[in-house]
Amino acid sequence: MDAGTAAAGAEGGHSGALAQDFVQFCVDSGVLRFGEFKTKAGRLSPYFFNAGLFDDGAKLGRLAQFYAKALIDSGIEFDMIFGPAYKGIPLGAAVAIELARLGRNVPFAYNRKEAKDHGEGGTLVGAPLQGLVLIVDDVMSAGTAARESIALIKAAGAVPHAVAIALDRQEKATETGPDGQMRDVEHSAVQYVQHQLGLQVCAIARLADLLHYLTDHAGGELSAHFERVLAYRQRYGVA
């Protein structure tokens, strides 16, 4: 299965059941909220996904189930899991636990932001990085965290092979132009990681899945948000 297929969910009302269940779970948990939120790129987004609110054992366990199911469905091969500091650490650990519960026990490692100068030292903790490595994180805004993880994994002699994220925002990335100003580019962070860095990407859900969910809830409390989310997608979205 190629990277594009692994980013599950299709446009135009053909969204998978797993993605729809995940969006519902995020709404119920307060992780996915609607309103007006300023993104790192300076855009005013009509929705906000805050993975930090998967903040108790039940929610984190359920989240890990979604990651594990999406990974199994994707067919992506990997030998171990890497959780980049900071949010990737509990996410990667939870996914490793869930996969083990399902009969797939794989090693897990993570990094520190600052090198430790005593004890075992260094920035890496856990199993030695080796083989095909899966990076687990929450979302991908600019691909910066992925590039940092890739450098660490390669330096250890392993192969950065794939990234698993909860939500693909499917929107244009930004980069600094020659004049020092931020500008939109025609690819998303996920597309950059796929096509420029050569990694497969598995997303539990995408913005297209969120729009499908809002369509299915037309007439309810959430229906008022559909037009704003759609307008945001039309302005900043990628194909």
Side-chain angles (χ1 to χ4, degrees):
M1 178 173 291
D2 63 22
T5 305
E11 300 278 8
H14 297 287
S15 179
L18 182 73
Q20 292 303 293
D21 288 346
F22 180 66
V23 174
Q24 182 68 67
F25 168 59
C26 292
V27 171
D28 292 343
S29 301
V31 170
L32 183 58
R33 299 181 178 181
F34 299 94
E36 188 172 87
F37 308 93
K38 192 169 185 177
T39 69
K40 289 181 180 179
R43 300 167 183 161
L44 291 179
S45 172
Y47 72 97
F48 181 53
F49 181 84
N50 183 3
L53 295 178
F54 291 118
D55 55 6
D56 62 34
K59 284 184 281 193
L60 190 58
R62 183 77 177 110
L63 174 62
Q65 291 175 0
F66 280 108
Y67 270 104
K69 182 66 164 60
L71 283 166
I72 291 168
D73 289 349
S74 76
I76 292 173
E77 296 181 1
F78 56 93
D79 298 312
M80 68 175 296
I81 289 173
F82 177 75
Y86 289 103
K87 285 183 180 178
I89 297 175
L91 293 176
V95 173
I97 292 169
E98 176 61 18
L99 286 171
R101 190 185 71 82
L102 295 174
R104 176 87 191 279
N105 188 30
V106 295
F108 167 64
Y110 62 93
N111 69 302
R112 299 185 181 96
K113 286 286 191 180
E114 298 176 358
K116 189 177 178 183
D117 59 4
H118 60 281
E120 73 277 16
T123 60
L124 296 174
V125 184
L129 288 172
Q130 56 188 2
L132 301 178
V133 181
L134 169 72
I135 301 164
V136 177
D137 215 339
D138 56 347
V139 295
M140 200 180 293
S141 299
T144 304
R147 287 194 295 271
E148 292 172 353
S149 297
I150 288 168
L152 283 169
I153 293 165
K154 285 184 174 180
V159 179
H161 182 63
V163 182
I165 57 174
L167 180 69
D168 177 1
R169 290 181 61 98
Q170 293 184 291
E171 66 181 74
K172 295 176 181 178
T174 58
E175 60 182 34
T176 304
D179 57 358
Q181 298 297 312
M182 296 298 292
R183 61 184 180 86
D184 293 343
V185 293
E186 291 305 310
H187 59 261
S188 70
V190 165
Q191 290 172 333
Y192 174 80
V193 168
Q194 289 173 329
H195 303 306
Q196 300 300 317
L197 303 183
L199 274 67
Q200 296 186 66
V201 177
C202 174
I204 304 172
R206 307 180 303 162
L207 180 54
D209 299 308
L210 172 54
L211 283 166
H212 184 71
Y213 173 84
L214 292 173
T215 300
D216 281 353
H217 289 76
E221 182 181 344
L222 295 174
S223 61
H225 304 295
F226 173 80
E227 292 297 335
R228 288 192 290 272
V229 175
L230 180 61
Y232 186 83
R233 172 98 166 104
Q234 290 171 337
R235 180 172 180 182
Y236 296 113
V238 294

